[in-house]
Amino acid sequence: MVETVAVARGALILMRLVTFGLTLGITLISFQAYRKKQSEKLQSAFIGFAFISMGVAITNVITQLGAGATETSSLQFIFLQMTETIPFIIGFTMLYLSLYR
């Protein structure tokens, strides 16, 4: 049973790294597009993807911290989850603006 948990945890870490890599790739592509054609839409899209990448990174770190902590209070855990949600809110707002400008 312990080996299964270790393999599952390793697979989860690998999947999270792939997700983070994909978000960084999208951010890089959107930055290159913005550099070629400097428009407000592409700038907003780039900023949005950058914040979404940041949100993915923060989520991964907070999840790892939460997995190792045994005595995390409910209030601390809620605060950490709120903190990880802020970059997603900003990122998706910027993507929304880039689509409807």
Side-chain angles (χ1 to χ4, degrees):
M1 181 70 176
V2 173
E3 292 177 15
T4 306
V5 171
V7 170
R9 184 169 286 146
L12 179 60
I13 290 170
L14 182 64
M15 291 167 57
R16 287 188 173 148
L17 285 173
V18 168
T19 303
F20 183 62
L22 289 170
T23 59
L24 284 180
I26 290 172
T27 303
L28 179 65
I29 291 169
S30 66
F31 177 70
Q32 290 171 343
Y34 169 66
R35 295 262 319 221
K36 282 184 182 179
K37 299 179 180 179
Q38 295 195 2
S39 71
E40 281 190 42
K41 286 184 175 195
L42 291 175
Q43 181 184 23
S44 295
F46 162 64
I47 293 170
F49 286 124
F51 272 97
I52 291 170
S53 296
M54 189 185 322
V56 169
I58 291 171
T59 300
N60 290 340
V61 169
I62 288 175
T63 302
Q64 291 301 317
L65 290 175
T70 55
E71 293 188 23
T72 305
S73 73
S74 296
L75 185 59
Q76 289 173 334
F77 190 65
I78 290 171
F79 177 73
L80 289 174
Q81 288 180 326
M82 288 171 62
T83 303
E84 80 182 30
T85 305
I86 292 169
F88 287 112
I89 291 170
I90 295 169
F92 284 115
T93 300
M94 294 304 292
L95 286 177
Y96 179 85
L97 290 174
S98 75
L99 292 172
Y100 288 102
R101 280 193 176 176

